[in-house]
Amino acid sequence: MSTESIVALNPGFGAAQSQRRPDPRRITAIASGKGGVGKTWLAITLAHAMAKAGKRVLLFDGDLGLANVDIQLGLMPEQDLGGVIASGTDLGAAVTHVGATGFDVVAGKSGSGALSSLTRQEVSALRQGVIELSPRYDQVIVDIGAGIDSTQLILASTGGRVLVVATDEPTSLTDAYAFIKVAGRLVPRPDLQVVVNMASSKAEGERTYATLKRACESFLKFSPPLAGIIRRDNKVKDAIRYQTPFLVRHPHADAAGDVEALAASLLKPSS
């Protein structure tokens, strides 16, 4: 696959579809230093919560090679990211509307060797394609893969907000710190914020955040703000098992309320 075919993903249809210019501030990357912290579930549920709030939302599955947004949503899109890259067609061709949630998805392709082996230049072109899509939406959520490889860092560096998801597990905190450390060096003035997921209580979540914050302050001289705390909820596993959006299957669960509160906070106009 040539770089030119990836660059062709930048459709320029932002101008055709909307008078708005690309605005990285509409883009929120969901990142984590470690896998298994509920990052993709949070990306899906946050996108859904924003859509319920009346926003036009796109969820881009940027977990290249291990994409599973479509699996968690029970989608079988006619086209996915792997297909448009292979064919060199417009990125917009991979946009699928999820009727049950009201938001759009660009699904990845789980286990795709082609996606996991993209060069830095190709990933950068893909990131630019997402930025070019942003005028069509009020919010764009980018679910990037876990870790601090160049692919994750490139997709996180859209110029928009980056939410770093962590749990109270020591390895999760260590890896979240590592992500913040590396991203803080490579991403110009990143808007890095922390989301504590799977907290046994709000108080426990605050303690987890305080631990990470102290490490950042001590060694990085930087204090990433807390974006939100999502409580542990066994209903999350149930929704994933049944491939049903969490806010559809368990709209009144504790975790549902926490994500909707996070969405409301993120959508609040900055002063």
Side-chain angles (χ1 to χ4, degrees), residues 19-58:
Q19 296 301 314
R20 295 196 297 182
R21 296 179 178 178
D23 184 355
R25 291 174 298 180
R26 298 193 188 102
I27 303 175
T28 298
I30 311 295
S32 69
K34 179 181 180 298
V37 300
K39 174 180 56 61
T40 297
W41 170 83
L42 176 62
I44 292 171
T45 310
L46 182 61
H48 192 180
M50 288 179 167
K52 285 184 65 178
K55 302 299 181 182
R56 293 171 296 175
V57 182
L58 172 69

